[in-house]
Amino acid sequence: MYLEDTIAAIGTPVGEGGIGIIRVSGPDVPAIARRIVRRVNENGDFVSHRFYYGTVVDPESGDTVDEVMAVLMRAPRSFTREDVLEIQCHGGYLVARRVLDAVLQCGARPAEPGEFTRRAFLNGRIDLVQAEAVIDVIRSKTDVALNLAQHQREGRLSERLKAVQGCLRHSLALVEAFIDFPDDEVDPASRVEIEAKAREASGRIEELLEGFDEGRVLRDGVSVLIAGKPNVGKSSLLNTLLQEKRAIVTSVPGTTRDIIEEVVNVRGLPLRMLDTAGIRETEDVVEQEGVRLTLEKIPQADLILFVLDGSRPFDDDDRMILAALAERRVIVVTNKSDLPVTLRIPGELEGVRAVAISTATGAGIDDLRKAVFETFIHGRAIDSREYVALSQTRHRDALVKARGRIAVFFANLAAGNNLEILAVDLRDALDAVGEVTGETTPDDILELIFQRFCIGK
Ligand code: GDP
């Protein structure tokens, strides 16, 4: 019932632009195209995948709505595997809206967010991992995050998951064969094979799980807090990392009062920077608000850049911040290395990675980028074409579940438990992997996943 109607949406962002694209998908597409697309010097059926020049007309009055290019893609050679019509009109909210209205007047209904991609998934053109990657492609903030998403969209992660499923199915088929013939003992050769395939599945899952932390930070980014007392150079550092002047820089202590969030790209790792007011004890009400926010943010940050002024001694203000940093992942950044060094880093910070920089000269900034990068990424070739990683918590959780079921399977196998029990374990493991690829994902989860999409995707 879900796939029997025809859906339509504006696929381009709302606002003014060169072109606006209206997408239509479903069984009524050929009729809608015939009714509202008037092609220049063309009659008869639309040839699939041919671009036509013409106009869209109002289905009632026949009045011209806009000058367009239109293409009809017949099922199954389309994004949704259904008949799809795409109309390119002038970019502009009203004109695209009018073309969409003409389509809706012919009986299509407005698409829900992500519904085109959802149809592509339900019609089996892509699996759920690939569908989810579509939204990651759209949202990617760095080249590396984009490559990771593209590899997933192309099906490289799906291939790895299929290999896991292949092993589990192989193992399960053998177990089931012996269930069907209860008189037969499992012969040693088959037992070896059953074990080997389950072990291979487990190993492949383990490999994917190992890459998760990096995949996740590349996809979601990490939050980085620049902490330090006023005037040490926090705003200057943020600006240097952003490579453009956006935050306010001033020599009056404590003027960066608002929390500003910006995304900085460090070798492909997206950093969500939280620049805050300087931390220190103060009577100033607004200043205090900033201090409170900073202290609040410390536990939320994945990494804290603790900025010190290398030209001044370590003082009580620095010590107050230091006290709030216990148990946190910290890089000590001593700024103003262009000035004579007076600072002595206290013993508490021994063993904590420290980088000397000067935002004034740019010295040490690359070392700092490197230190930040290496805190999260450990030598994987993340920019290679072969880089495939798990990047979503949902996927990780399902694979952890699968790994758990395989462990139970081995325990039952070792205990000599009966074959039915072993088969259940393997089926559970398969179901858990299927939650990632979409074969066994519950409907409410699917609902949540596609809600994150934009309309028209
Ligand atoms: P914040 O209060 O910690 O955000 O510090 P700012 O970024 O506003 O910098 C405070 C003052 O220190 C400004 O006058 C900057 O020009 C100066 N400053 C920042 N970085 C450096 C540096 O590397 N060397 C020197 N000599 N001065 C710096």
Side-chain angles (χ1 to χ4, degrees), residues 178-432:
F178 287 100
I179 295 176
D180 290 344
F181 301 100
D183 294 340
D184 293 351
E185 282 279 299
V186 179
D187 63 279
S190 297
R191 191 189 154 100
V192 166
E193 204 173 330
I194 288 168
E195 266 197 74
K197 283 292 167 188
R199 211 169 290 290
E200 186 184 337
S202 188
R204 287 175 176 274
I205 289 174
E206 200 56 55
E207 206 176 298
L208 286 171
L209 289 173
E210 276 167 15
F212 170 72
D213 285 338
E214 292 180 359
R216 183 188 64 87
V217 296
L218 290 173
R219 172 178 181 264
D220 298 339
V222 291
S223 56
V224 176
L225 182 70
I226 301 179
K229 69 187 177 196
N231 241 4
V232 292
K234 298 181 297 300
S235 307
S236 308
L237 174 58
L238 177 68
N239 288 336
T240 305
L241 291 173
L242 289 169
Q243 287 170 329
E244 51 193 74
K245 303 268 178 209
R246 252 185 268 180
I248 323 143
V249 185
T250 166
S251 50
V252 182
T255 44
T256 317
R257 281 171 179 156
D258 301 323
I259 298 258
I260 305 165
E261 211 189 65
E262 303 267 11
V263 176
V264 171
N265 179 352
V266 169
R267 301 176 172 196
L269 175 68
L271 309 186
R272 280 175 281 114
M273 306 299 297
L274 311 167
D275 184 35
T276 67
I279 299 176
R280 66 168 185 169
E281 283 162 334
T282 171
E283 296 307 308
D284 183 319
V285 177
V286 182
E287 181 74 6
Q288 263 177 352
E289 180 65 4
V291 171
R292 195 180 58 73
L293 286 173
T294 301
L295 290 170
E296 252 174 32
K297 291 267 172 183
I298 284 179
Q300 296 165 23
D302 297 314
L303 173 69
I304 292 136
L305 300 181
F306 180 19
V307 185
L308 300 168
D309 184 339
S311 69
R312 285 159 59 195
F314 197 86
D315 64 17
D316 287 346
D317 287 344
D318 295 318
R319 194 161 294 287
M320 201 179 96
I321 297 158
L322 177 62
L325 295 180
E327 311 285 308
R328 308 299 310 162
R329 200 184 274 148
V330 176
I331 295 177
V332 175
V333 182
T334 53
N335 188 30
K336 311 196 187 182
S337 66
D338 53 299
L339 300 177
V341 179
T342 317
L343 179 83
R344 284 187 51 204
I345 294 178
E348 291 99 312
L349 286 170
E350 219 168 272
V352 176
R353 192 157 185 172
V355 182
I357 64 161
S358 165
T359 63
T361 66
I365 297 296
D366 280 342
D367 297 336
L368 178 59
R369 287 179 200 273
K370 183 164 178 275
V372 171
F373 184 83
E374 287 173 355
T375 304
F376 297 98
I377 309 289
H378 310 284
R380 262 169 228 266
I382 59 166
D383 44 8
S384 102
R385 185 84 188 114
E386 304 310 315
Y387 182 64
V388 178
L390 216 55
S391 59
Q392 305 222 23
T393 311
R394 189 184 78 77
H395 300 169
R396 193 266 321 260
D397 292 349
L399 290 189
V400 166
K401 191 153 90 182
R403 180 178 62 181
R405 297 315 301 188
I406 298 173
V408 172
F409 161 84
F410 277 115
N412 282 327
L413 188 70
N417 284 332
N418 76 32
L419 295 173
E420 271 92 356
I421 290 180
L422 297 179
V424 168
D425 294 336
L426 291 173
R427 271 188 223 111
D428 284 351
L430 269 169
D431 280 353

Side-chain angles (χ1 to χ4, degrees), residues 118 394 442-453:
R118 186 170 184 153
R394 189 184 78 77
D443 282 347
D444 52 335
I445 303 292
L446 288 180
E447 209 64 54
L448 284 175
I449 289 170
F450 288 103
Q451 265 168 22
R452 296 189 295 124
F453 280 63

